[in-house]
Amino acid sequence: MNYRTIRYILGWVMKMEAMCMLLPLLCALCYREYGVVGSWLWCIALCSAAGFLLSIRVPENKAMYSKDGFMAVALGWILMSIFGALPFVFTKSVPTFTDALFETVSGFTTTGASVISDLDSLPRSIIFWRSFSHWIGGMGVLVFLVALVPMTGAGNFFLIKAESPGPIVSKLVPKVKSTAKILYSIYIALTLMQLVLLLFGGMEFFDALTITFGTAGTGGFSARNSGMNDYSSYCQIVITVFMIIFGINFSVYHMIILRKIRAAFKSEEVRCYLAIIALAIIVISVNCRHIYASLSDTVRHSAFQVASIITTTGYATTDFDKWPELSKTLLLMLMFFGACAGSTGGGIKISRIIILFKSIVKEIRILAHPRSAVKIRMSGRIVEHETVRGINVFMAAYLAVFSLSVLLISLDNLDFTTNFSAVAATVNNIGPGLSKVGPMSNFNVYSIPSKLVLIADMLIGRLEIFPILVLFSHYTWKK
């Protein structure tokens, strides 16, 4: 284990967080929130000091291996969340540090679950920080570091592999640093595009910016108590489209930039993802046709909620907890499906669902014809056995974490629908669940121990289980 390099990386994570906090400080100054300026200065000073102390000595040996990358990412996210909670504590925006940590982890992991009841009473700089944390966590802070900071050479790939979602992580170009730059360039370009379109629709700049951060990171923190209800149909449609866009594998956009249009649309995962969205919108629109005044309103609300749930963004234009059971069940299923691998979305990921389904078909064919040689293919390419094995292990770990979490939070004696959907919403980084944690409620119904379980679930879900589990393995700490 290269502890010195891990320490050095954690130092840069802290420095990066301190730089990110300059933006909410600027927001506080712009909106004349002078009462919280001191709090932001203290937070920046503490992050900077921690970053300086951790990275003051540059390690001579920067070589990194797989477990070093997993350790650096897991510890980096935990440290970033702890320091990121300080603004909520110092500005007294939440009553306890546990609530502050819940809100911060929910932001960085792009979950969007909240324990705050009255957003309108918060300083705008805090609302900005909540939403900006989505944007930071969407693509990943370690990916950002790899793009900008001279880090660990060939070991950079292990950082991206540990932080990036999906069963297969590949480089867009030969150099890992260039891959990170391409990813962030696409991310920033799409973010600016949505911001401009929302401003064109007459949305206030602050709201447009914070909502764009939430959409880009597929997070879901709102800027107002009313959520998305106050915005025009045009703005809701723009948000719907961009939620779907940010749920697509970013490598597809890279191929489009390179004018490989045909190759981009050959992606089996993307085609399946768009087909699921279209089918879900049709079914829910038919099922909810009696709830809304017109067909256009029905389709708009259905499309918005389908896009929001499958991409794990978590925004809401309506209280879908009051929809018919078929529609609610379908949304619950979409929570598990998630978006595409290599996107900012959470969930199990469409690619894993496809490969699992094809594995079942393969086993049935082998049972029928034992001597046949059957290969699993995705987009015309053979899926390696190592990838299939990894997905099977991931699903086993996912079910274990999910089951244990539901069992632990059931000690609060809330109903099963609330507990099940709360874990589904946090492990899959969605935000709202059903019943007492529905879109018009929040997670303050849970006790402090249950909130800690859900905090762990959000981190486990965002980092896709194994970087967090690696911390608790004795094999990791062996030399």
Side-chain angles (χ1 to χ4, degrees), residues 203 211 220-224 226-232 236 239 304 315-317:
M203 189 180 287
I211 288 168
F221 276 149
S222 177
R224 301 183 184 185
S226 56
M228 300 291 111
N229 289 331
D230 287 349
Y231 305 119
S232 66
Q236 291 177 6
I239 295 167
F304 190 98
Y315 284 142
T317 56

Side-chain angles (χ1 to χ4, degrees), residues 6-28:
I6 293 172
R7 169 188 53 76
Y8 182 71
I9 291 171
L10 295 180
W12 271 104
V13 169
M14 287 292 92
K15 289 180 183 178
M16 194 65 66
E17 186 165 26
M19 287 187 282
C20 289
M21 285 184 180
L22 291 173
L23 287 179
L25 172 62
L26 180 62
C27 179

Side-chain angles (χ1 to χ4, degrees), residues 240-370:
T240 301
V241 171
F242 274 89
M243 284 191 291
I244 295 171
I245 287 172
F246 281 107
I248 293 175
N249 193 321
F250 275 51
S251 64
V252 172
Y253 301 128
H254 182 242
M255 285 189 281
I256 292 173
I257 292 169
L258 297 177
R259 297 181 181 178
K260 297 179 180 178
I261 309 297
R262 185 175 296 179
F265 288 98
K266 275 186 176 181
S267 171
E268 190 174 343
E269 182 184 31
V270 173
R271 294 201 308 270
C272 185
Y273 165 74
L274 296 176
I276 290 171
I277 290 173
L279 182 61
I281 292 171
I282 292 169
V283 172
I284 291 175
S285 296
V286 172
N287 192 228
C288 296
R289 64 191 183 281
H290 61 284
I291 297 177
Y292 302 102
S294 65
L295 178 62
S296 61
D297 285 346
T298 304
V299 174
R300 175 165 52 82
H301 287 301
S302 300
F304 190 98
Q305 292 312 146
V306 167
S308 179
I309 295 299
I310 196 170
T311 62
T312 70
T313 304
Y315 284 142
T317 56
T318 185
D319 187 359
F320 56 78
D321 195 38
K322 295 179 179 178
W323 281 1
E325 289 301 318
L326 173 62
S327 296
K328 288 194 293 184
T329 303
L330 186 53
L331 287 182
L332 191 63
M333 290 175 64
L334 295 179
M335 287 183 184
F336 292 93
F337 282 16
C340 298
S343 70
T344 59
I348 294 173
K349 301 296 180 303
I350 297 296
S351 57
R352 286 195 179 98
I353 300 294
I354 294 171
I355 293 172
L356 282 169
F357 178 77
K358 289 188 174 186
S359 296
I360 294 171
V361 174
K362 175 186 173 181
E363 289 302 312
I364 293 172
R365 288 182 63 184
I366 290 175
L367 286 172
H369 303 283

Side-chain angles (χ1 to χ4, degrees), residues 178-193:
S178 299
T179 295
K181 287 181 178 179
I182 291 168
L183 289 172
Y184 256 96
S185 297
I186 296 170
Y187 192 46
I188 292 169
L190 290 174
T191 301
L192 292 174
M193 196 182 302

Side-chain angles (χ1 to χ4, degrees), residues 10 54 99 180 200 213 233 249 253 267 279 298 320 401 427 451:
L10 295 180
L54 288 168
D99 285 350
F200 181 77
F213 284 153
S233 298
N249 193 321
Y253 301 128
S267 171
L279 182 61
T298 304
F320 56 78
V401 169
V427 170
K451 285 176 183 175

